[in-house]
Amino acid sequence: MELVEAIILSVLAASTPLLIAATGELVTERAGVLNLGVEGMMIVGAACGFGGAWLSGSTIIGALCGIIAGALLSLIFAMMTLGLAVNQVASGLALTILGIGLSGLIGAGFVGERITPAPHLHIPGLTDIPLIGRILFGEDPFIYLSLALIVAVWWFLYRTRPGLVLRACGDNHVSAHALGYPVLRIRTFAVMFGGACAGLAGAYLPLAYTPFFIPGMTAGRGWIALALVVFASWLPGRLVIGAYLFGAVTILQLHAQGAGVGIPSQFMSALPYLATVIVLVLISRARTGGSTAPAALGTVFVPDR
Amino acid sequence: MQLVLEKRAERSNTIALVSPLIAIGLTIVTMSILFVILGKNPISALIVYFIDPLTDAYSLQEIAVKASPLVMIAIGLSLCYLANAWNIGAEGQFLIGAVAGSWLAVKTQGTDAGFWVLPAMLLLGAVAGALYALIPAICKVRFGASEILTSLMLVYVADLLLDYLVRGPWRDPAGFNFPTTAEFDPVATVPILVEGGRLHLGAIITLLIVAAAAVLLGRTIKGFEIRVVGAAPRAARFGGFNANQLILLTFAVSGALAGLAGIIEVAGPVGHLQPGISPGYGFTAIIVAFLGRLNPIGILIAGLFLALTFIGGEQAQIAMKIPLDVTKVFQGILLFYVLACDSLILYRFRLVFASRQVSSGTG
């Protein structure tokens, strides 16, 4: 039973960066902007998050550094795609290339250093309940934060007026503009929220997942987060299911490698990526009655005056 | 103050020509600031980056050697992007091409196989790259899955496959456990053009591909279809062009070129299969394609320029202890500026200082 508990704990930890990054991207895409730079913002968030925590000795300051770094990078993207009406796909790729380079520069001084990982919650009595105690009451704070975040995003998108306006911008920017809503400003906020989330998701990796920084440590998680948004059909609830499913695939293949099932480790490591391809195909195929994507997703909008 | 975009009545051809130059200029200014932040003299750093590699024969050859795969891949990508198909997994197609061609090199190693080995390897590389690129294309056409995400995921898969092969079945028994195959036999190696140099046959193949692409895009119906499908999908539908077929075609061609570049790199400059055979050629080629304005001749020039930054980056690391990652930062910034300047072709930028108009509220 201890193995089951350990597996569930590690699945939750592996899913959390995916969930946080995908939550941010979901809001961005709901506003009609496709930001493919998640991987780049995550890796810079990881470098800045580790740097902040290492210099200050505080996990919270590290997390804030990651958030700010991600938001600043996404602001460049917003200026390009919203201010200058540049193609969003190409700008997102540029952001990823830039982010990978920047993270290498920033992180060069920190490689090989270690920090104290984020403390886990401990409530005497509750955390000590066998089996479910540690799973429910003994996680690191980011895991609770990620769940609170997705609930807040769901509430914002479906239960508030600004959320409705944001979705309107994503579905028909011309109508939203005609009604007098500042489409570009709303989209800028959405992009920056996505950037802040990606930065936090990246910072989670060195702050809580592995207590050190390695160049390229996001290993494609940003891209998987993008795929998760498609998998979730742009619905917050399904995002949680998707993130935990992918976390489970990642962890189970690691355990299978550890158990030595006789399959080369590289094939097991390829599983999360192959699973992403297969899931994308299945999901896209199931949607024969038209796409559920925001109608204006990825299209350039230049307001007429 | 507010920046306003005004649509031009028609594309500005002057700006289309100078925009890459403006972008390079802006990038160099930004890089100088970055060098100052890193505590280096910006003038001498820029000289090491952009001038020094042009002054000796070895570096000039090396630029051509590095530009070769970049241009070859970027030509293929430009076809995809012109047709509005987003293949961003060229890095994976490059690796699969390298793996497929190397298979023959490893199998014929030490046998008396003749001169047919190299042509067969190149063919295998191209075919494997095309097939690998067709996976995301078919997922897109048949099931509507985003080709951006699937093609990128397959990069990681290709990387892991290569890693497995050189650590497992294909590892050189006499290689002290290093993850590499044995050096390829001479019949499985791309011939050198200049005795004692590094320039190889791949450079010639690249030039032929540039010429072929220029003819395809400028002189054939297929090239016209590709451009129309990307620029005006509705008009293309009325014209009876099959957009799905063009996605498959452009993906296959770009995969083939990336795969060919991969096997040439392995059978040429590297000489054996090992992890890390590509310093991100497949991704840098995306920048090359855009910097070259998706035009074959433009791509040739852009490829040489980005190859220069690779060589300059290596020399700057040795001479001035500037980290190699600066090259990636440089490439990312360059792509941003290129895209921003491209916006000038379609729009006029105007700063508006007047107070904001009263918005009409919720009508």
Side-chain angles (χ1 to χ4, degrees), chain B residues 58-362:
Chain B
Y58 174 81
S59 298
L60 279 175
Q61 280 198 32
E62 201 61 18
I63 289 172
V65 168
K66 282 236 164 30
S68 232
L70 285 175
V71 171
M72 212 183 284
I73 301 170
I75 291 277
L77 291 180
S78 71
L79 297 181
C80 285
Y81 300 162
L82 281 171
N84 221 358
W86 292 96
N87 177 9
I88 59 170
E91 180 85 1
Q93 294 140 23
F94 178 95
L95 295 176
I96 287 295
V99 163
S102 301
W103 170 78
L104 190 62
V106 169
K107 290 298 160 198
T108 57
Q109 212 139 40
T111 64
D112 50 2
F115 63 91
W116 56 270
V117 173
L118 182 68
M121 281 167 65
L122 299 188
L123 188 68
L124 269 178
V127 170
L131 291 178
Y132 205 58
L134 276 173
I135 300 173
I138 291 173
C139 290
K140 166 77 173 178
V141 169
R142 186 85 177 72
F143 308 113
S146 159
E147 78 278 24
I148 300 171
L149 295 172
T150 48
S151 65
L152 191 100
M153 285 296 134
L154 292 174
V155 174
Y156 293 96
V157 176
D159 199 33
L160 287 162
L161 176 69
L162 191 158
D163 194 74
Y164 162 71
L165 289 171
V166 294
R167 283 176 206 278
W170 293 359
R171 189 169 61 194
D172 181 9
F176 306 102
N177 259 346
F178 278 110
T180 163
T181 65
E183 286 297 308
F184 291 176
D185 289 339
V187 287
T189 308
V190 177
I192 299 288
L193 289 182
V194 193
E195 195 61 42
R198 294 257 299 156
L199 197 61
H200 55 78
L201 193 65
I204 307 280
I205 299 178
T206 304
L207 288 177
L208 291 176
I209 288 168
V210 169
V215 171
L216 171 76
L217 284 173
R219 297 264 178 273
T220 67
I221 294 281
K222 254 306 167 250
F224 179 69
E225 283 184 24
I226 289 174
R227 283 184 289 137
V228 173
V229 163
R234 253 171 72 84
R237 267 202 301 282
F238 289 131
F241 301 163
N242 187 339
N244 279 347
Q245 196 204 340
L246 283 177
I247 291 179
L248 293 174
L249 177 77
T250 52
F251 259 83
V253 171
S254 72
L257 290 178
L260 184 62
I263 185 59
I264 290 178
E265 187 70 13
V266 169
V270 181
H272 54 259
L273 189 66
Q274 63 169 49
I277 48 170
S278 161
Y281 284 136
F283 296 113
T284 309
I286 298 173
I287 305 175
V288 173
F290 280 107
L291 183 64
R293 314 212 49 79
L294 306 181
N295 167 306
I297 309 298
I299 286 171
L300 181 61
I301 300 169
L304 288 167
F305 179 71
L306 274 152
L308 172 68
T309 68
F310 271 123
I311 311 292
E314 282 168 15
Q315 296 194 349
Q317 187 190 28
I318 298 165
M320 300 183 68
K321 296 198 168 56
I322 292 173
L324 263 185
D325 287 303
V326 169
T327 310
K328 277 224 180 62
V329 174
F330 170 85
Q331 294 176 349
I333 292 176
L334 177 63
L335 182 52
F336 266 128
Y337 280 129
V338 167
L339 295 169
C341 292
D342 276 8
S343 200
L344 275 170
I345 300 171
L346 293 177
Y347 302 99
R348 205 172 268 129
F349 295 173
R350 269 220 348 236
L351 282 173
V352 177
F353 294 93
S355 59
R356 288 188 57 228
Q357 294 160 333
V358 182
S359 59
S360 55
T362 52

Side-chain angles (χ1 to χ4, degrees), chain A residues 124-163:
Chain A
L126 286 178
T127 309
D128 303 325
I129 302 172
L131 268 183
I132 57 161
R134 278 193 59 205
I135 294 166
L136 291 180
F137 304 107
E139 304 288 354
D140 65 63
F142 294 101
I143 292 183
Y144 301 107
L145 180 70
S146 68
L147 292 170
L149 192 67
I150 192 81
V151 173
V153 161
W154 170 82
W155 178 81
F156 169 78
L157 285 177
Y158 292 101
R159 291 290 181 271
T160 69
R161 194 175 169 80

Side-chain angles (χ1 to χ4, degrees), chain A residues 233-271:
Chain A
S233 309
W234 291 268
L235 299 172
R238 293 200 200 164
L239 204 57
V240 182
I241 303 170
Y244 287 131
L245 259 170
F246 269 86
V249 172
T250 314
I251 293 303
L252 289 180
Q253 60 90 2
L254 277 180
H255 278 276
Q257 280 184 32
V261 280
I263 301 169
S265 67
Q266 289 93 340
F267 290 159
M268 302 303 287
S269 304
L271 268 183

Side-chain angles (χ1 to χ4, degrees), chain A residues 118-216:
Chain A
H120 282 229
L121 186 72
H122 190 91
I123 308 169
L126 286 178
T127 309
D128 303 325
I129 302 172
L131 268 183
I132 57 161
R134 278 193 59 205
I135 294 166
L136 291 180
F137 304 107
E139 304 288 354
D140 65 63
F142 294 101
I143 292 183
Y144 301 107
L145 180 70
S146 68
L147 292 170
L149 192 67
I150 192 81
V151 173
V153 161
W154 170 82
W155 178 81
F156 169 78
L157 285 177
Y158 292 101
R159 291 290 181 271
T160 69
R161 194 175 169 80
L164 179 66
V165 174
L166 184 139
R167 286 189 287 138
C169 291
D171 278 325
N172 192 330
H173 44 221
V174 179
S175 301
H177 177 67
L179 286 171
Y181 292 114
V183 173
L184 293 183
R185 196 177 315 159
I186 291 167
R187 286 190 169 170
T188 306
F189 284 128
V191 167
M192 289 186 70
F193 177 76
C197 287
L200 177 64
Y204 177 81
L205 294 171
L207 292 180
Y209 199 59
T210 50
F212 41 84
F213 175 78
I214 335 163

